[in-house]
Amino acid sequence: MSAPPPTGPLVTRDTIAAGLRLLGVETGETLLVHSSLSSLGWVNGGAVAVVQGLLDALGPSGTLVVPAQTGDQSDPAVWGNPPVPREWWDRIRATMPPYDPLITPARGVGVIPETVRTWPGALRSAHPQTSFAALGPRAREITEGHAADCRLGERSPLARLEELGARVLLLGAGYDSCTAFHLAEYRIPAPRVRVGRPAPGGGWESVTEVSITSDRFDELGHDYERDRPVVRGTVGAADARLFPVADAVAYAERWLPLHRPRETDFPHPAA
C-alpha cells in the first residue's frame, strides 16, 4: 500500500523568509535559532531550504547561530538514552574519537543545525560537548574563545550573544530547548560536577563544571512569555517565538532560584 500524500502546508525557501520577516526578524541582526524541521510542514528542499530562508531574512550583514552540541562526547557511565553495558565503559573511553570541530557531527539538536555546521563558511566553537556553529560577519567573534571548562557560561558563545544584543528564535521548538536559560545557571548558586570526555590529544580527561539541566525550562518559558514581551507567530506550520537573549537570561536569573533552587554542597553526575 502506498503512503498517503503529505497534508502540508507546502513550505519553500521564499515562504520561510517571508514568514520570518513578518514575524519580525530583521536584516543584519544576530539570531540564535532552535528549530524543528518536522514542525514546519512539507518543506521543499528540507533543511537546506530552511537555512537558505533564514539567511535570506537576515541578509548578508546578519549572523545565524545554532547549537551544534555533541552530548555523546561524554562518559558512557552516565548515558541513559540508551545506556550501554557496564563492561563496555572502559573500552569506549579508551577508543572514543576526540572532538574535532570540522568533522564531529552535532547530535540531538536536529538536522537544521547540522546543515548549518556543514555550510560553506560556517565556524564552530571549540567546546567538545556544547559547541555552537555560526554563519555571517560576526561568526568568528561569537565562536572564538569557548573555554573547555565552560559549557554554557561566561566564556561561551552565549555570553557573546548576550553582549551583541542577539535574539532567540524558537522555530517549532519549545522553551525546553532554549540554551540561553543555561547562561543564568552560571550566575546563581549551582552544584559543580566532574565531566568526562575524550582528551584532545588522546586518552580521557575530566573537568569540573557547573551542573546544567533543562529541568523545568518549559515552566520557566511559560512564565517568561506571560511576563515579558515575546513576539509570537507562525512560519509554515511551526509556532515561532522571538525574544532577546539578554532579557531571557535576566528573567531566568530571577526565576530559577525561586522555582528551582539546587543544592550546591555536593557533586552530581553529569554527561
Side-chain angles (χ1 to χ4, degrees), residues 17-95:
L20 291 168
R21 293 186 188 106
L22 187 61
L23 182 70
V25 172
E26 298 175 358
T27 299
E29 75 168 305
T30 299
L31 207 59
L32 172 60
V33 178
H34 299 280
S35 56
S36 166
L37 178 62
S38 63
S39 71
L40 286 160
W42 194 89
V43 181
N44 187 25
V48 169
V50 177
V51 175
Q52 289 173 329
L54 284 161
L55 294 174
D56 290 344
L58 290 169
S61 59
T63 300
L64 171 63
V65 185
V66 295
Q69 298 171 1
T70 47
D72 52 336
Q73 292 268 307
S74 59
D75 193 336
V78 299
W79 291 354
N81 190 28
V84 294
R86 187 184 187 95
E87 59 269 23
W88 293 6
W89 293 356
D90 288 344
R91 183 65 175 157
I92 288 173
R93 294 184 188 113
T95 60

Side-chain angles (χ1 to χ4, degrees), residues 131-157:
S131 67
F132 290 78
L135 280 166
R138 288 186 138 159
R140 187 169 302 279
E141 181 181 1
I142 290 164
T143 57
E144 277 188 338
H146 195 171
D149 61 349
C150 186
R151 288 182 285 189
L152 298 169
E154 305 299 341
R155 293 173 294 152
S156 79

Side-chain angles (χ1 to χ4, degrees), residues 43-222:
V43 181
N44 187 25
V48 169
V50 177
V51 175
Q52 289 173 329
L54 284 161
L55 294 174
D56 290 344
L58 290 169
S61 59
T63 300
L64 171 63
V65 185
V66 295
Q69 298 171 1
T70 47
D72 52 336
Q73 292 268 307
S74 59
D75 193 336
V78 299
W79 291 354
N81 190 28
V84 294
R86 187 184 187 95
E87 59 269 23
W88 293 6
W89 293 356
D90 288 344
R91 183 65 175 157
I92 288 173
R93 294 184 188 113
T95 60
M96 185 181 292
Y99 171 73
D100 184 330
L102 294 177
I103 64 174
T104 303
R107 181 183 175 96
V109 290
V111 66
I112 294 171
E114 178 65 0
T115 303
V116 173
R117 182 192 74 80
T118 59
W119 204 267
L123 298 177
R124 189 183 192 184
S125 67
H127 196 283
Q129 294 167 325
T130 56
S131 67
F132 290 78
L135 280 166
R138 288 186 138 159
R140 187 169 302 279
E141 181 181 1
I142 290 164
T143 57
E144 277 188 338
H146 195 171
D149 61 349
C150 186
R151 288 182 285 189
L152 298 169
E154 305 299 341
R155 293 173 294 152
S156 79
L158 286 178
R160 305 292 84 73
L161 290 165
E162 180 187 46
E163 293 167 1
L164 292 170
R167 291 196 288 178
V168 177
L169 171 65
L170 299 180
L171 186 59
Y175 283 103
D176 57 341
S177 67
C178 180
T179 52
F181 289 151
H182 287 296
L183 182 55
E185 293 185 295
Y186 284 73
R187 298 175 177 173
I188 61 175
R192 299 302 195 267
V193 292
R194 295 294 292 172
V195 179
R197 64 202 184 195
W204 194 257
E205 67 178 9
S206 62
V207 297
T208 300
E209 253 282 13
V210 170
S211 174
I212 56 176
T213 174
S214 57
D215 181 44
R216 299 189 69 184
F217 275 11
D218 52 348
E219 297 172 55
L220 166 56
H222 175 273

